[in-house]
Amino acid sequence: MILLTGATGTIGGLLAHRLAADGVPFRALVRREGVTIPGAEVVVGDLDDPATLPEAFAGVGQLFLNTAGPYPDEEPVIAQQFAAIDAAVAAGVEHVVKISTAGARADGPMPLGTHAKIEARLAGSGLAGTVLRPNTVMQNLVRGIAIFTPDGDLFEPFGGKVAHVDARDVADCAFAVLTGSAPRGGTHDLTGPLALTAAELTTALSTALDRRIGLVQPGLDELEPILLGRGMPESYVKHFVELARLVGAGLLADVTTAVTDLTGNPPRSLDAFIAEHRDRLRGVPAPSFWA
Ligand SMILES: NC(=O)c1ccc[n+]([C@@H]2O[C@H](COP(=O)([O-])OP(=O)(O)OC[C@H]3O[C@@H](n4cnc5c(N)ncnc54)[C@H](OP(=O)(O)O)[C@@H]3O)[C@@H](O)[C@H]2O)c1
């Protein structure tokens, strides 16, 4: 049995969809009664409450480990994923596929350091593990995670190339490893086929949406007061600024062959994603902290 955490989220939801489409049995851990996931045996449990986990983990052979990103603090996410690893050890799970992040590193800001700590816990658990490190997912553009200002311009302070990956390709990589068409083990940096600067991204968006999308790109020195002034939680701002510095220095710029290596298919392109999501991109709101 394969157990999915985060199956109501973006990456986990796409994996659930893929497993169901291929008729692969799986179980999904959800936090609320009444949630249905096509194709899944649904079990109610909460990673914040480890006492609810043994029932969900009973008889599980493989775990897909994936929760929300660490925002605005990392402690809850670390506690949730440590609890899942502990429950997997207790239940005799054989193999874990962990969704991490591109650039994970122990001394890094959130989310890089957060995922590095969880990767280390998994490595030290005795469980077999496969770590998938996605670059920035294209779906951020339509989820209110990429920052569009109320004027519809892109606020992108990172100043480095980003090799956006389609979350469907991330899900397909997890699918391949969990179902045995790709080998278990290793750490895989998942990217799309191309790395773009923010200026190139706004050009691609402007062309596809047939209107000029501006780029708001403050320097690193200006960033902290802007973010604080816009209401980003203080605990997160220093992490965001450090992340911007690292991305500016090329953290997310490398293009890899990992998606093709694991799935046998080339990664989906950003142009195709934008064309497919044109209508939704026209109406993306500014995030709630951008008051
Ligand atoms: N977005 C990116 O560009 C990107 C890039 C690289 C890596 N990542 C990483 O990818 C991971 C997944 O991101 P995502 O955007 O797919 O996440 P998401 O859409 O926010 O989904 C998060 C999932 O975790 C579940 N969850 C949260 N707290 C839980 C708890 N206490 N117990 C059980 N389930 C819980 C949520 O369930 P509910 O429905 O109940 O809330 C939801 O299903 C994150 O770790 C993120 O850091 C993201």
Side-chain angles (χ1 to χ4, degrees), residues 6 8-11 31 46-47 66-67 100 115 137 140 143:
T8 52
T10 302
I11 296 171
R31 290 196 280 181
D46 192 330
L47 296 173
N66 164 61
T67 66
S100 178
H115 283 294
V137 305
N140 290 355
R143 289 179 61 208

Side-chain angles (χ1 to χ4, degrees), residues 102-121:
R105 55 181 73 183
D107 60 349
M110 290 190 271
L112 313 181
T114 317
H115 283 294
K117 288 170 199 152
I118 299 164
E119 286 186 17
R121 175 75 164 218

